[in-house]
Amino acid sequence: MIYYKTDEEIELIRHSCLLVSKTLALVASEIRPGVTGKAVDRKAEEFIRDHKAKPGFKGYRGFPATLCISVNEGVVHGIPTDIEFKDGDVVSVDCGAYINGFFGDSAYTFALGDISNDIVDLMRVTNESLYKGIEQAKVGRRIGDISFAVQNFAEREHKYGVVRELVGHGIGKDLHEAPEVPNFGKRNSGKKIKAGLVIAIEPMVNLGTRKVLTASDGWTIITQDKKASAHFEHTIAVRKTGADILTDHTFIEEAIKNNPEIKDITAKS
Ligand code: MG
Ligand code: MG
């Protein structure tokens, strides 16, 4: 069952989402070659707890960390490790926070140091596909319109692989609520979108095959061909006037501009 949120509840979710966005901005200022995922994860957890919130993922179905950090062929659900990031790594970081009874959820992919152009292109297209999806999140449209927009842009127009096994989701009092929001689908299919719907839209897009498998750690989803993957996610609320993006990537993008070891994919090349 879909739980539609009141305006008050949406503001509480926005509060959680802004904390997530600021945590990812902290990640953007800390992450670089030579730093470990565990070190970044520790800082993120401290930051969230300093704001009287709880990490949204830690302990969720036994996940051991605050951030999901998925490197290179890692798609999502990577566990932070003691391995130092390297020049040329593409690192997807997913973060959740829980405060005042509500979750926020967002992800961003970082390009470390001297990264290949084909990966930068993948990241740009994945990020843009997220906004193509958000454009469809309007009263009267259907979930399938969001799904179609993401898939059409990433897969049909740009020939990347859109992951099928993992999907976006409703969010609120629970991290994962109904409805599922796939990144692939048919126009005018699925549930009708109504005001008060709060969902996380999160395209996971692969440079090569769309096929994925679970790594030996039992958590990390990796591409079957070991080629790179990117992941961008916003939590949004549907209002009568259109989509209201509750998470805010401008905090992250500002931090990237101040970190010379991260490539700014929003800059014109
Ligand atoms: Mg997420
Ligand atoms: Mg999510």
Side-chain angles (χ1 to χ4, degrees):
M1 198 189 89
I2 298 176
Y3 182 72
Y4 296 91
K5 277 74 179 178
T6 64
D7 287 353
E8 291 74 18
E9 288 171 327
I10 289 170
E11 291 317 306
L12 290 172
I13 299 172
R14 191 192 310 278
H15 182 83
S16 307
C17 285
L18 286 177
L19 180 57
V20 167
S21 306
K22 288 175 183 171
T23 307
L24 286 171
L26 174 71
V27 169
S29 62
E30 295 289 334
I31 197 168
R32 66 196 71 223
V35 163
T36 70
K38 268 198 178 158
V40 174
D41 186 71
R42 228 174 287 126
K43 294 212 167 170
E45 179 169 358
E46 243 175 59
F47 186 79
I48 289 171
R49 293 198 192 277
D50 282 350
H51 288 81
K52 306 200 178 344
K54 283 186 185 152
F57 303 161
K58 200 168 192 176
Y60 184 82
R61 295 187 184 166
F63 189 77
T66 293
L67 303 174
C68 295
I69 301 184
S70 309
V71 184
N72 297 329
E73 69 268 24
V75 179
V76 287
H77 301 171
I79 300 171
T81 71
D82 282 321
I83 302 165
E84 291 179 359
F85 298 121
K86 307 179 305 296
D87 195 49
D89 278 348
V90 54
V91 184
S92 299
V93 181
D94 197 341
C95 182
Y98 180 79
I99 183 167
N100 300 323
F102 289 92
F103 284 92
D105 188 8
S106 186
Y108 204 90
T109 299
F110 301 94
L112 273 56
D114 196 16
I115 196 145
S116 68
N117 286 332
D118 55 349
I119 294 178
V120 173
D121 289 343
L122 169 73
M123 291 169 63
R124 284 190 173 135
V125 167
T126 307
N127 190 36
E128 214 176 321
S129 75
L130 167 60
Y131 292 94
K132 300 276 182 200
I134 291 171
E135 269 173 37
Q136 297 298 318
K138 290 179 184 163
V139 174
R141 300 278 165 93
R142 291 178 183 271
I143 295 294
D145 293 315
I146 299 172
S147 306
F148 175 85
V150 172
Q151 182 185 16
N152 188 57
F153 187 72
E155 202 165 81
R156 293 193 189 88
E157 286 186 36
H158 291 278
K159 310 297 173 208
Y160 294 126
V162 171
V163 174
R164 302 294 199 271
E165 287 81 353
L166 299 125
V167 296
H169 50 91
I171 179 167
K173 287 183 178 162
D174 287 312
L175 179 59
H176 295 128
E177 297 184 356
E180 289 195 341
V181 185
N183 298 303
F184 58 96
K186 290 188 170 65
R187 264 191 278 221
N188 204 27
S189 71
K191 280 254 183 290
K192 253 209 169 134
I193 296 171
K194 296 200 282 189
L197 180 73
V198 178
I199 49 174
I201 304 177
E202 48 177 317
M204 291 153 245
V205 181
N206 301 343
L207 196 55
T209 180
R210 66 178 166 84
K211 295 202 173 123
V212 296
L213 40 93
T214 306
S216 54
D217 63 15
W219 274 104
T220 317
I221 305 298
I222 58 173
T223 58
Q224 208 176 75
D225 59 8
K226 306 290 194 288
K227 288 186 182 170
S229 184
H231 178 215
F232 290 84
E233 175 180 28
H234 271 306
T235 297
I236 66 123
V238 177
R239 323 298 296 242
K240 284 178 195 139
T241 48
D244 181 357
I245 305 178
L246 303 178
T247 40
D248 187 349
H249 285 178
T250 61
F251 293 109
I252 304 167
E253 284 154 3
E254 279 304 309
I256 289 173
K257 288 188 204 307
N258 292 313
N259 181 345
E261 290 174 276
I262 306 296
K263 173 131 185 128
D264 178 7
I265 62 152
T266 65
K268 299 263 181 287
S269 54

